[in-house]
Amino acid sequence: MTHSDNVQTTTESELGEASQLISYETTRYISKILLYGVTPAIGVIGITGNTFSVIILRKHGLHKCSNILLLSLALMDMSFLTCYNSIPHIIYYMQGNDRFLYSRSVSMFWYVLYFALIVVDYANGLAALCMPMLITIERLVAVYLPLKFGQIITPFRTWTVVIIIELFWLTNMAYICFWYKFEYVFDETLNRSVGLISKSELYYRDSHAVPIIEEMYFNMKIPPVVTVIGCVAIIIKVKLTSIKRSKMTSSTKQSSTSRTTKTLLAVSFTYLFTVSIFAIPTYLPAEMSAYKFTKEDPSNVGIVVYQFINIMLMINSSWNFLVYVIMNKNFRDTFKDVISCKKSRPRC
């Protein structure tokens, strides 16, 4: 064995030890706090805020493509937040310690419900991460081609793109669920039969495709890159337009297009902030980063990091309502009307 081999072996050993700095008992304790307390609390807040967003956006009308995109984002976020707080997930991982402790029929029921929620959870979470890219593209057309905007961006085309993205992720996640199978086996430690989730033959037959699909799910680089470039281009254009208008008129009245642009830019920036944090584990050693759903034996550190990354995704799906209220006066006024049960004001 060469010196470099010794160094590599030592490094891998140190990483392996570092990845287990958190004990199994501590990992379980942290997971219980997050799954029983933190994530349900965030979920309730996020679902409430997104529900108000849906009500207000419908009041403002879906004739505006920007409202369609924000409504779709709110519905995706609500679905993600609801399904992430999955009862079957808690029953299997926390109460059962990676087992369904019920009869075969009841365990099978929880298994089916578990993966049904997984499909909706991942599909809508990933679809929601694509929405800021669509929002950015819509605003690019609005600020650079305002006269042709109505011809290029239509409600029908907007709904079509949103539905295609949703179906794409739902189809992919539904397929991945077939990588797993239900087994009802005898557990000697418990002296009883339990339900287990294990890898299916399809997973091993698709072993060549697993890394490709994992890369697609866990390294979604295109939407954030497009959003960053688009936001920079929009800011430049808005700034140049503002300078030009200031020279032509002394009016300080803000147009509806400007209000909409600022609101959508705020949504994109909060999204980019979350994605930046979400990407941190990709720069960590594999033993210490967030574990993947295909990994057989994740480290304790990986499990905890994975939980905190999911919390960031939940926060990202929860704070858009606050952004709308702060950035958009018309949205804020309609919200006041909704909670005071008054007749809504004119649409923005």
Side-chain angles (χ1 to χ4, degrees), residues 14-30:
E14 291 174 350
L15 288 174
E17 293 176 359
S19 67
Q20 298 298 340
L21 286 174
I22 303 176
S23 66
Y24 174 79
E25 291 75 17
T26 302
T27 302
R28 296 283 296 181
Y29 180 71
I30 293 174

mmCIF file of all heavy atoms in Angstrom, residues 14-30:
data_model
loop_
_atom_site.group_PDB
_atom_site.id
_atom_site.type_symbol
_atom_site.label_atom_id
_atom_site.label_comp_id
_atom_site.label_asym_id
_atom_site.label_seq_id
_atom_site.Cartn_x
_atom_site.Cartn_y
_atom_site.Cartn_z
ATOM 1 N N GLU A 14 -11.626 8.924 9.029
ATOM 2 C CA GLU A 14 -11.972 10.103 9.814
ATOM 3 C C GLU A 14 -13.351 10.620 9.454
ATOM 4 O O GLU A 14 -14.131 11.022 10.320
ATOM 5 C CB GLU A 14 -10.924 11.199 9.601
ATOM 6 C CG GLU A 14 -9.566 10.860 10.215
ATOM 7 C CD GLU A 14 -8.515 11.902 9.859
ATOM 8 O OE1 GLU A 14 -8.815 12.752 8.982
ATOM 9 O OE2 GLU A 14 -7.424 11.871 10.438
ATOM 10 N N LEU A 15 -13.665 10.600 8.136
ATOM 11 C CA LEU A 15 -14.977 11.040 7.702
ATOM 12 C C LEU A 15 -16.059 10.126 8.239
ATOM 13 O O LEU A 15 -17.134 10.566 8.625
ATOM 14 C CB LEU A 15 -15.039 11.096 6.172
ATOM 15 C CG LEU A 15 -14.264 12.235 5.508
ATOM 16 C CD1 LEU A 15 -14.305 12.077 3.989
ATOM 17 C CD2 LEU A 15 -14.815 13.585 5.911
ATOM 18 N N GLY A 16 -15.755 8.815 8.233
ATOM 19 C CA GLY A 16 -16.729 7.862 8.756
ATOM 20 C C GLY A 16 -17.008 8.098 10.220
ATOM 21 O O GLY A 16 -18.150 8.048 10.669
ATOM 22 N N GLU A 17 -15.919 8.398 11.002
ATOM 23 C CA GLU A 17 -16.104 8.678 12.422
ATOM 24 C C GLU A 17 -16.848 9.999 12.617
ATOM 25 O O GLU A 17 -17.708 10.120 13.484
ATOM 26 C CB GLU A 17 -14.740 8.738 13.106
ATOM 27 C CG GLU A 17 -14.022 7.388 13.144
ATOM 28 C CD GLU A 17 -12.634 7.507 13.755
ATOM 29 O OE1 GLU A 17 -12.257 8.640 14.125
ATOM 30 O OE2 GLU A 17 -11.935 6.475 13.858
ATOM 31 N N ALA A 18 -16.512 10.988 11.778
ATOM 32 C CA ALA A 18 -17.172 12.290 11.901
ATOM 33 C C ALA A 18 -18.651 12.199 11.593
ATOM 34 O O ALA A 18 -19.473 12.892 12.202
ATOM 35 C CB ALA A 18 -16.502 13.299 10.958
ATOM 36 N N SER A 19 -18.983 11.320 10.639
ATOM 37 C CA SER A 19 -20.385 11.195 10.255
ATOM 38 C C SER A 19 -21.238 10.590 11.363
ATOM 39 O O SER A 19 -22.450 10.704 11.349
ATOM 40 C CB SER A 19 -20.514 10.346 8.979
ATOM 41 O OG SER A 19 -20.132 9.003 9.236
ATOM 42 N N GLN A 20 -20.583 9.918 12.329
ATOM 43 C CA GLN A 20 -21.314 9.298 13.437
ATOM 44 C C GLN A 20 -21.086 10.049 14.745
ATOM 45 O O GLN A 20 -21.199 9.475 15.824
ATOM 46 C CB GLN A 20 -20.877 7.834 13.587
ATOM 47 C CG GLN A 20 -21.174 6.965 12.374
ATOM 48 C CD GLN A 20 -22.659 6.872 12.068
ATOM 49 O OE1 GLN A 20 -23.488 7.136 12.925
ATOM 50 N NE2 GLN A 20 -22.991 6.492 10.844
ATOM 51 N N LEU A 21 -20.739 11.339 14.629
ATOM 52 C CA LEU A 21 -20.545 12.144 15.831
ATOM 53 C C LEU A 21 -21.816 12.210 16.664
ATOM 54 O O LEU A 21 -21.769 12.376 17.873
ATOM 55 C CB LEU A 21 -20.110 13.566 15.444
ATOM 56 C CG LEU A 21 -18.661 13.719 14.959
ATOM 57 C CD1 LEU A 21 -18.422 15.140 14.485
ATOM 58 C CD2 LEU A 21 -17.681 13.358 16.068
ATOM 59 N N ILE A 22 -22.943 12.105 16.006
ATOM 60 C CA ILE A 22 -24.231 12.100 16.702
ATOM 61 C C ILE A 22 -24.645 10.657 16.951
ATOM 62 O O ILE A 22 -24.677 9.846 16.022
ATOM 63 C CB ILE A 22 -25.307 12.811 15.872
ATOM 64 C CG1 ILE A 22 -24.872 14.234 15.549
ATOM 65 C CG2 ILE A 22 -26.645 12.822 16.596
ATOM 66 C CD1 ILE A 22 -25.834 14.986 14.656
ATOM 67 N N SER A 23 -24.933 10.318 18.188
ATOM 68 C CA SER A 23 -25.303 8.953 18.530
ATOM 69 C C SER A 23 -26.685 8.612 17.988
ATOM 70 O O SER A 23 -27.475 9.497 17.625
ATOM 71 C CB SER A 23 -25.298 8.764 20.045
ATOM 72 O OG SER A 23 -26.319 9.539 20.655
ATOM 73 N N TYR A 24 -26.984 7.322 17.972
ATOM 74 C CA TYR A 24 -28.292 6.860 17.490
ATOM 75 C C TYR A 24 -29.403 7.419 18.363
ATOM 76 O O TYR A 24 -30.439 7.875 17.852
ATOM 77 C CB TYR A 24 -28.325 5.330 17.507
ATOM 78 C CG TYR A 24 -29.680 4.756 17.171
ATOM 79 C CD1 TYR A 24 -30.124 4.679 15.849
ATOM 80 C CD2 TYR A 24 -30.518 4.279 18.181
ATOM 81 C CE1 TYR A 24 -31.375 4.164 15.547
ATOM 82 C CE2 TYR A 24 -31.773 3.753 17.880
ATOM 83 C CZ TYR A 24 -32.194 3.695 16.560
ATOM 84 O OH TYR A 24 -33.426 3.184 16.268
ATOM 85 N N GLU A 25 -29.206 7.404 19.691
ATOM 86 C CA GLU A 25 -30.231 7.903 20.609
ATOM 87 C C GLU A 25 -30.480 9.394 20.405
ATOM 88 O O GLU A 25 -31.631 9.857 20.407
ATOM 89 C CB GLU A 25 -29.811 7.644 22.059
ATOM 90 C CG GLU A 25 -29.796 6.182 22.469
ATOM 91 C CD GLU A 25 -28.601 5.428 21.899
ATOM 92 O OE1 GLU A 25 -27.637 6.109 21.469
ATOM 93 O OE2 GLU A 25 -28.633 4.179 21.904
ATOM 94 N N THR A 26 -29.380 10.171 20.202
ATOM 95 C CA THR A 26 -29.516 11.603 19.968
ATOM 96 C C THR A 26 -30.224 11.872 18.650
ATOM 97 O O THR A 26 -31.061 12.778 18.541
ATOM 98 C CB THR A 26 -28.136 12.281 19.955
ATOM 99 O OG1 THR A 26 -27.470 12.038 21.202
ATOM 100 C CG2 THR A 26 -28.272 13.782 19.748
ATOM 101 N N THR A 27 -29.890 11.068 17.630
ATOM 102 C CA THR A 27 -30.530 11.212 16.325
ATOM 103 C C THR A 27 -32.029 10.983 16.431
ATOM 104 O O THR A 27 -32.835 11.731 15.872
ATOM 105 C CB THR A 27 -29.931 10.224 15.315
ATOM 106 O OG1 THR A 27 -28.520 10.457 15.204
ATOM 107 C CG2 THR A 27 -30.570 10.378 13.947
ATOM 108 N N ARG A 28 -32.419 9.955 17.168
ATOM 109 C CA ARG A 28 -33.840 9.664 17.359
ATOM 110 C C ARG A 28 -34.530 10.791 18.126
ATOM 111 O O ARG A 28 -35.664 11.175 17.798
ATOM 112 C CB ARG A 28 -34.007 8.347 18.125
ATOM 113 C CG ARG A 28 -33.491 7.115 17.421
ATOM 114 C CD ARG A 28 -34.408 6.642 16.347
ATOM 115 N NE ARG A 28 -35.697 6.213 16.862
ATOM 116 C CZ ARG A 28 -36.676 5.723 16.096
ATOM 117 N NH1 ARG A 28 -36.498 5.634 14.783
ATOM 118 N NH2 ARG A 28 -37.817 5.340 16.619
ATOM 119 N N TYR A 29 -33.851 11.322 19.118
ATOM 120 C CA TYR A 29 -34.423 12.400 19.930
ATOM 121 C C TYR A 29 -34.644 13.655 19.080
ATOM 122 O O TYR A 29 -35.718 14.278 19.135
ATOM 123 C CB TYR A 29 -33.494 12.721 21.105
ATOM 124 C CG TYR A 29 -33.991 13.813 22.012
ATOM 125 C CD1 TYR A 29 -35.077 13.598 22.863
ATOM 126 C CD2 TYR A 29 -33.381 15.063 22.016
ATOM 127 C CE1 TYR A 29 -35.538 14.601 23.705
ATOM 128 C CE2 TYR A 29 -33.843 16.073 22.855
ATOM 129 C CZ TYR A 29 -34.919 15.833 23.686
ATOM 130 O OH TYR A 29 -35.384 16.831 24.513
ATOM 131 N N ILE A 30 -33.648 14.019 18.274
ATOM 132 C CA ILE A 30 -33.770 15.182 17.396
ATOM 133 C C ILE A 30 -34.893 14.966 16.381
ATOM 134 O O ILE A 30 -35.703 15.864 16.114
ATOM 135 C CB ILE A 30 -32.435 15.459 16.671
ATOM 136 C CG1 ILE A 30 -31.368 15.890 17.669
ATOM 137 C CG2 ILE A 30 -32.615 16.528 15.592
ATOM 138 C CD1 ILE A 30 -29.987 16.051 17.068
#
